[in-house]
Amino acid sequence: MPKENKTYFFDRQYRFYGSHALRVDALTAVFDSASKAQLFRRNLDVYINAPLIGFLYGRMADRDDTRNPSTNQVYDENIMGEQVIHAQEELLFHFRLIMLLDTVYEPNGEERIDKAFRHMGKNSADMERFDSYVRGGVDILYEKLIEGSSSADDYINKLYEFLEDFQDRFNDQVTGDIILKLCSK
C-alpha cells in the first residue's frame, strides 16, 4: 500500500526572526519586577494570538533578518516543538479560520474551504500567508502594548487602551439579538 504523502502544520518548533524576535522577547518580558507581571507568559502565547490580531487588523509583515550588531547573528526566539504540538489544535483552528475568512487571498469560497480543510499542508504559500499574519500581529501587539511604555502603569494603561480599541472595532456591533438570530438559522 503506498504511503500517503501528507504535510502537517504545527508539528515542529517555530522561530521568530529579526525584529519580530525582539518584539516577542519584549512582549514576554517581565515589566514589573515587584509583581513579576508579564503581558504574555510564553512565546507560544504570542504565537497563538498574533495571527488573529494580524488578520483582524489587516496587517501582514515579511520575515525580518535584523542582526545583533555584536555577533552579526539574526535575532531569533524559539518555541519548542513540544509546545507547538501541544497547541496544534488551537493553531490549526486559527489557520483554518483565517483561510476561510481571507477573501483577499482567495476570493472563491470553494477554494477557501479547500485551503482550510482539503489541501491543508500541501501549499506552502498558505502557511506563508498565515505566518505573515503572525508577524503582522506581533507588530501590532508590540506597537499597542509595548512601544512608549516605561513603567508598570504605562503597560497597564496601554493594555486597557488596546482592549477598548479591540472592543470598539470588533465587538461593539455584536448584540445578543444578532447572536440569537445567527443561532436560529
Side-chain angles (χ1 to χ4, degrees):
M1 186 171 203
K3 187 177 176 182
E4 193 173 342
N5 183 14
K6 287 188 176 181
T7 303
Y8 295 98
F9 290 152
F10 315 117
D11 64 350
R12 59 188 58 95
Q13 76 176 2
Y14 184 86
R15 286 190 185 275
F16 293 97
Y17 294 98
S19 64
H20 298 103
L22 293 171
R23 289 176 172 201
V24 167
D25 188 48
L27 287 162
T28 58
V30 171
F31 66 82
D32 180 33
S33 56
S35 68
K36 306 271 191 261
Q38 298 168 272
L39 294 169
F40 291 92
R41 193 170 61 94
R42 308 168 298 170
N43 295 350
L44 179 65
D45 299 324
V46 177
Y47 184 43
I48 289 170
N49 289 285
L52 297 178
I53 298 297
F55 180 76
L56 288 171
Y57 279 82
R59 174 87 69 89
M60 294 183 290
D62 293 329
R63 180 177 154 167
D64 179 80
D65 289 327
T66 300
R67 296 175 180 272
N68 181 326
S70 59
T71 65
N72 203 29
Q73 298 279 344
V74 174
Y75 289 108
D76 72 333
E77 280 292 324
N78 187 43
I79 303 171
M80 299 303 291
E82 183 178 303
Q83 289 180 307
V84 175
I85 290 168
H86 184 70
Q88 188 175 47
E89 191 174 316
E90 190 171 8
L91 290 164
L92 184 56
F93 178 79
H94 292 174
F95 174 85
R96 287 180 168 155
L97 187 63
I98 288 170
M99 288 297 114
L100 287 171
L101 296 174
D102 195 345
T103 58
V104 172
Y105 181 52
E106 179 52 65
N108 181 291
E110 277 298 313
E111 287 296 317
R112 288 196 312 275
I113 291 170
D114 285 348
K115 286 177 179 300
F117 297 101
R118 293 184 193 108
H119 301 158
M120 210 205 103
K122 295 181 179 148
N123 184 348
S124 62
D126 296 345
M127 193 60 185
E128 177 50 38
R129 181 76 171 194
F130 180 81
D131 283 344
S132 70
Y133 283 122
V134 170
R135 293 184 296 264
V138 167
D139 289 341
I140 288 168
L141 290 168
Y142 180 83
E143 291 163 8
K144 295 205 173 270
L145 300 175
I146 303 290
E147 221 167 48
S149 296
S150 59
S151 69
D153 286 342
D154 290 342
Y155 287 99
I156 300 299
N157 288 333
K158 284 181 127 330
L159 178 60
Y160 181 79
E161 289 168 8
F162 175 64
L163 293 174
E164 271 195 334
D165 176 58
F166 194 88
Q167 172 68 22
D168 292 345
R169 283 177 180 246
F170 305 112
N171 294 329
D172 241 11
Q173 297 170 3
V174 177
T175 64
D177 291 338
I178 290 172
I179 294 170
L180 286 173
K181 186 177 176 182
L182 288 171
C183 292
S184 64
K185 284 187 177 180

